[in-house]
Amino acid sequence: MGEVSALLVHGAGGGWEWRIWEAVWRAHGIATRAPDLRPCAQGIAATGLRDYAAQVRQAIEALPRPRALVGASLGRLLAALHADAADALVLVNPLPPSPWQRWLPARDWPDVVPWRREARLASSLRALADADAASVLFAFRHWRDESGAVLRDAHAGIEAARPACPVLAMASARDDDVAPAATRELAAAWQADFIASAATTHVGPLLGRSAAADAAQAVAWVNARLRGGRVQEAFTLP
């Protein structure tokens, strides 16, 4: 079997969210790519979920097999839409597809969500309460604005069939954006393996103090699934 590769699909922050995971996965022999999703030519306000989905499709098909598709938050929806092109799927605090979107809190998104323009260190500290000071400062300097249309579509509920490939779902111990119970329910319905992260924020598994450990658990699962090793009992739902 050839070298395993992985496409890491970011949420509303950007490809930089995966820097810890990329370092860990590469150390475990996985070739990774974590590209930034780009707005369409008409600008971010005109960008829809299909624009991002097309980029994910092109990127995953460019990787050699066996290949894993990894999505966090919004990136989870994009990853699940292209599970047919992957040999393994990893979902981190995923925005759930229909009908599990009922777990999501009601939100009213403007056409451009000004996370970059209105970024504040205080709000970054709250969003990353489980991260060290350097990670908070890095995130504060790298948040990006997002398309409200993309987020409205995602929160409305997107149909996604149960993937045929092996699936791993990971949820923070506490998450104000996606209830951990929603991820557990989705994992059970899809007969996915499950990891409970010690993170206490939505982006904690990627940027918090548990990020390296979470990345190591996920890459161990991918290597077991795609390189023929034994999947640990700790990955299965109780």
Side-chain angles (χ1 to χ4, degrees), residues 10-67:
H10 65 77
W16 59 269
E17 294 178 334
W18 294 107
R19 61 194 187 113
I20 295 174
W21 279 55
E22 283 204 282
V24 172
W25 282 43
R26 287 172 179 171
H28 284 78
I30 306 286
T32 64
R33 284 199 62 222
D36 283 330
L37 297 173
R38 302 178 305 277
C40 68
Q42 291 73 34
I44 192 167
T47 301
L49 201 63
R50 290 183 180 179
D51 296 302
Y52 286 166
Q55 295 172 45
V56 172
R57 189 74 187 193
Q58 183 178 29
I60 188 64
E61 290 184 343
L63 295 182
R65 304 189 93 137
R67 59 200 183 200

Side-chain angles (χ1 to χ4, degrees), residues 9-230:
V9 185
H10 65 77
W16 59 269
E17 294 178 334
W18 294 107
R19 61 194 187 113
I20 295 174
W21 279 55
E22 283 204 282
V24 172
W25 282 43
R26 287 172 179 171
H28 284 78
I30 306 286
T32 64
R33 284 199 62 222
D36 283 330
L37 297 173
R38 302 178 305 277
C40 68
Q42 291 73 34
I44 192 167
T47 301
L49 201 63
R50 290 183 180 179
D51 296 302
Y52 286 166
Q55 295 172 45
V56 172
R57 189 74 187 193
Q58 183 178 29
I60 188 64
E61 290 184 343
L63 295 182
R65 304 189 93 137
R67 59 200 183 200
L69 186 51
V70 187
S73 189
L74 172 64
R76 167 262 170 268
L77 271 181
L78 295 166
L81 291 173
H82 301 293
D84 63 299
D87 301 300
L89 192 65
V90 178
L91 311 174
V92 184
N93 283 336
L95 283 182
S98 177
W100 296 281
Q101 87 281 2
R102 69 182 187 277
W103 285 91
L104 299 175
R107 300 288 297 272
D108 183 19
W109 303 105
D111 289 341
V112 177
V113 184
W115 283 324
R116 168 64 270 169
R117 190 168 68 248
E118 296 183 0
R120 299 292 183 270
L121 185 56
S123 58
S124 296
L125 282 165
R126 289 192 297 271
L128 281 165
D130 51 358
D132 58 39
S135 296
V136 173
L137 185 59
F138 187 89
F140 165 66
R141 290 172 172 168
H142 289 81
W143 298 126
R144 73 179 205 167
D145 293 344
E146 189 51 89
S147 163
V150 167
L151 295 172
R152 286 192 292 270
D153 286 347
H155 279 72
I158 301 296
E159 295 288 341
R162 175 185 164 188
C165 66
V167 179
L168 173 67
M170 178 183 291
S172 294
R174 189 167 69 250
D175 184 347
D176 293 334
D177 294 300
V178 179
T183 303
R184 279 185 171 272
E185 189 175 298
L186 173 65
W190 281 4
Q191 297 184 340
D193 294 317
F194 182 83
I195 291 176
S197 168
T200 57
T201 65
H202 185 58
V203 293
L206 273 58
L207 299 170
R209 291 182 177 86
S210 71
D214 291 336
Q217 287 193 83
V219 77
W221 180 88
V222 167
N223 275 329
R225 287 297 191 181
L226 298 186
R227 287 178 167 150
R230 179 174 177 271

